[in-house]
Amino acid sequence: MRSQGGAVQSARERLARRLRALRAERGLSQEALADLADLHRTYVGSIERRERNVSLDNVERLAAALDVDIVELLAPT
Amino acid sequence: MRSQGGAVQSARERLARRLRALRAERGLSQEALADLADLHRTYVGSIERRERNVSLDNVERLAAALDVDIVELLAPT
């Protein structure tokens, strides 16, 4: 998949960047977002470090916690 | 998440519908698509029946096999 600059960007990369940006916009810590999404407190950090192969259900929970559509979490950055 | 009709549509529901539509457009069987994506031959069927909590890496593999961006597989239907 291509980012706007044309570089190939993995889904994990996109999710990590979009999660961090949307979380920062809302002034949420990684732990606070994990709590809102009812996920383990270290979960968000591991996603932002591209370490985790997240399940679709959990991406959906994070989108709901951030009040965005799931495609916003996977849009090119 | 809302579909165009406004009904709440889960990410699994969207993926199931978009996968089936894109697969049918290309005249691919479930097994043929699973093969292209290097996944078990029953994998696509279980997604289309909403049985599977797919990982992000596997959604990405399916998008690549269908030659679409990952957000197309999770767009509202």
Side-chain angles (χ1 to χ4, degrees), chain B:
Chain B
M1 292 173 305
R2 304 237 159 257
S3 69
Q4 271 135 355
V8 175
Q9 197 178 48
S10 74
R12 287 195 195 198
E13 180 72 21
R14 286 191 191 180
L15 179 61
R17 290 177 184 230
R18 293 294 297 149
L19 202 60
R20 175 162 296 195
L22 291 163
R23 180 172 64 75
E25 269 174 36
R26 288 154 178 76
L28 290 169
S29 68
Q30 291 177 341
E31 293 72 17
L33 175 56
D35 197 44
L36 278 172
D38 200 21
L39 296 166
H40 188 274
R41 63 178 188 71
T42 63
Y43 199 90
V44 170
S46 64
I47 295 174
E48 291 186 5
R49 290 187 302 272
R50 289 85 169 154
E51 291 167 0
R52 191 175 288 270
N53 184 13
V54 192
S55 74
L56 192 60
D57 290 357
N58 281 346
V59 177
E60 184 169 46
R61 288 165 78 162
L62 289 161
L66 290 164
D67 195 28
V68 295
D69 191 278
I70 194 169
V71 295
E72 277 198 52
L73 283 184
L74 294 169
T77 59

Side-chain angles (χ1 to χ4, degrees), chain A residues 12-30 33 44-50 66 72-73 77:
Chain A
R12 288 196 195 198
E13 180 71 23
R14 285 192 190 179
L15 179 60
R17 289 176 182 230
R18 294 293 298 148
L19 202 61
R20 176 162 296 195
L22 291 163
R23 180 172 64 74
E25 269 175 36
R26 289 154 177 77
L28 291 168
S29 67
Q30 291 178 342
L33 175 55
V44 171
S46 64
I47 294 173
E48 292 186 5
R49 289 189 302 274
R50 287 84 168 156
L66 292 163
E72 277 199 53
L73 283 183
T77 59

Side-chain angles (χ1 to χ4, degrees), chain A:
Chain A
M1 292 174 304
R2 303 233 161 261
S3 69
Q4 272 136 353
V8 175
Q9 195 179 50
S10 74
R12 288 196 195 198
E13 180 71 23
R14 285 192 190 179
L15 179 60
R17 289 176 182 230
R18 294 293 298 148
L19 202 61
R20 176 162 296 195
L22 291 163
R23 180 172 64 74
E25 269 175 36
R26 289 154 177 77
L28 291 168
S29 67
Q30 291 178 342
E31 291 73 16
L33 175 55
D35 196 44
L36 278 172
D38 200 22
L39 295 167
H40 188 274
R41 62 178 189 72
T42 63
Y43 198 90
V44 171
S46 64
I47 294 173
E48 292 186 5
R49 289 189 302 274
R50 287 84 168 156
E51 291 166 359
R52 190 176 288 269
N53 185 14
V54 192
S55 74
L56 193 60
D57 289 359
N58 281 346
V59 177
E60 185 169 43
R61 288 165 76 163
L62 289 161
L66 292 163
D67 194 27
V68 296
D69 191 278
I70 193 168
V71 295
E72 277 199 53
L73 283 183
L74 294 168
T77 59

